[in-house]
Amino acid sequence: MIPVQYCTELSFSPGLTELAVIAGTEPPAIGIHEVPSTQLVRSLPLPGIDRVHTWSRGVVHLGAAVVHLEQLTWQSPRTWRIVRHRAPDWQREVLAEFDEEHSVGLRAVPGGFVVVRAAEFLFGGADGPLRDPAGVPEFANREVTLLDAHAGTGRIAVVSKPKPWAPGRWLTVLRPDLTVLAEQELEFEDHYGWFCGPDLLVTFGEWQSMTCLRIADGELRDVGGTHLLKQNRSYGVHSMPLGLTTLPLRNLIAVEQEYGLPTLWLDAVTGKDTEPPPYRDRFPVWASPNGQYLVFVADHSRLELATDPAFAPGDVEPDRV
């Protein structure tokens, strides 16, 4: 069990030997827990941060380092920092500090991480400086928001809009070299997105709309979707992007609902209701990249790590550890 007040971000190390957890502790800190025992092995403090806000945080465990984002001010433009803690002493290292009115995102990519701010893509690893590759021509006059990155393939999903403000929104999937793999103009503005495997993308946005898209032949093809019931959505225990979890191993989407309502299980391809896996009433807030491990909500103050039975022969209740 992992004691937390509320969970905001999780990241497994590449070898699945550790789990980094940003939790609402006082004082705020990143807890590094051993997998599968969940024993706390180290705590990385977040000095100067008096509250942890889900939407302004990100964490990536690189094995030999842990990287996270900090938002220092509420005023516009906001001040952001990219911070790295490196083994063996895990000392705090500020890689960059900048002012940005737009949201900033952090995700794992093969061998490192990417930070997206406005139309700038910053890449880094467990050591060395940040790298700022050439810009993306398609984003020359757009403001870009990072949705997700696929840690296995390095594909990056973003939403962009013109600047200054003008009609039009686009969902774009980029290759690791930042060339465009596929792009689609959006009917609704999507605020969140998750890869469910390298070729399937799930987005969530305006009017509680959820869309399932297949990446094929250089195109984004709508293959399904639904509108979630706002009155049933849970906003208390977990804030977005938690509260909606893709499970690539099972091709499922788990949607957390208000207390007393069961987890809503959707097919990741069609977006339609489907039979729940054998997790009983537990909600998985995170899955390891290969789907082996799931992190469940045990109650309002603890998280539980388990092995998904779909990863091994048999379809039994996940082992509690």
Side-chain angles (χ1 to χ4, degrees):
M1 295 290 186
I2 302 173
V4 297
Q5 291 180 357
Y6 58 90
C7 178
T8 64
E9 283 276 1
L10 306 175
S11 178
F12 285 86
S13 64
L16 302 183
T17 58
E18 290 185 340
L19 177 65
V21 181
I22 295 185
T25 58
E26 289 295 339
I30 301 173
I32 310 299
H33 298 263
E34 187 178 65
V35 173
S37 71
T38 71
Q39 179 180 352
L40 181 68
V41 294
R42 74 185 67 87
S43 182
L44 307 177
L46 301 175
I49 304 295
D50 57 3
R51 292 182 63 192
V52 176
H53 305 282
T54 301
W55 59 269
S56 64
R57 296 291 177 270
V59 63
V60 172
H61 196 324
L62 300 172
V66 173
V67 177
H68 69 275
L69 282 177
E70 292 180 353
Q71 179 189 322
L72 305 183
T73 59
W74 282 94
Q75 295 80 16
S76 183
R78 305 180 184 103
T79 301
W80 298 80
R81 284 178 182 160
I82 305 172
V83 181
R84 181 172 61 194
H85 301 258
R86 282 193 289 180
D89 55 11
W90 300 99
Q91 291 297 308
R92 173 185 173 87
E93 175 187 10
V94 177
L95 297 178
E97 181 174 319
F98 49 85
D99 292 335
E100 179 61 63
E101 297 181 3
H102 195 54
S103 63
V104 179
L106 165 70
R107 289 292 185 273
V109 293
F113 64 91
V114 61
V115 173
V116 179
R117 48 167 296 203
E120 186 177 26
F121 292 74
L122 303 172
F123 289 87
D127 53 22
L130 290 173
R131 304 183 305 277
D132 182 8
V136 181
E138 288 81 0
F139 299 153
N141 296 304
R142 298 188 201 173
E143 201 170 66
V144 181
T145 299
L146 175 66
L147 295 183
D148 198 14
H150 189 262
T153 63
R155 292 178 172 180
I156 301 171
V158 299
V159 164
S160 62
K161 60 184 179 180
K163 59 177 186 179
W165 187 91
R169 300 287 187 275
W170 294 271
L171 171 64
T172 308
V173 177
L174 301 165
R175 300 181 181 90
D177 62 2
L178 297 185
T179 58
V180 173
L181 174 62
E183 186 170 70
Q184 179 191 82
E185 191 163 5
L186 295 171
E187 180 180 0
F188 302 109
E189 184 170 358
D190 291 316
H191 304 293
Y192 305 98
W194 305 262
F195 280 101
C196 191
D199 300 317
L200 193 64
L201 186 65
V202 177
T203 65
F204 179 79
E206 286 184 317
W207 315 112
Q208 302 288 309
S209 61
M210 192 188 74
T211 306
C212 305
L213 302 112
R214 178 77 67 185
I215 305 166
D217 301 324
E219 296 181 350
L220 279 167
R221 301 174 181 172
D222 290 17
V223 290
T226 188
H227 283 75
L228 303 176
L229 295 176
K230 183 176 182 179
Q231 61 268 31
N232 291 351
R233 289 281 293 113
S234 175
Y235 297 96
V237 179
H238 304 288
S239 299
M240 285 297 221
L242 301 180
L244 194 154
T245 308
T246 57
L247 304 178
L249 190 65
R250 292 181 177 267
N251 241 16
L252 290 178
I253 304 167
V255 181
E256 187 179 27
Q257 301 199 95
E258 287 290 351
Y259 182 77
L261 293 176
T263 298
L264 177 63
W265 292 98
L266 304 173
D267 186 292
V269 175
T270 66
K272 305 302 182 184
D273 291 15
T274 190
E275 290 296 317
Y279 305 153
R280 296 194 309 210
D281 58 348
R282 288 181 291 164
F283 179 74
V285 295
W286 215 265
S288 64
N290 67 350
Q292 177 179 359
Y293 293 110
L294 299 172
V295 179
F296 291 101
V297 176
D299 53 40
H300 291 287
S301 61
R302 294 181 302 167
L303 296 175
E304 174 189 343
L305 182 68
T307 300
D308 191 326
F311 190 77
D315 196 27
V316 297
E317 175 73 8
D319 295 331
R320 297 168 183 263
V321 294

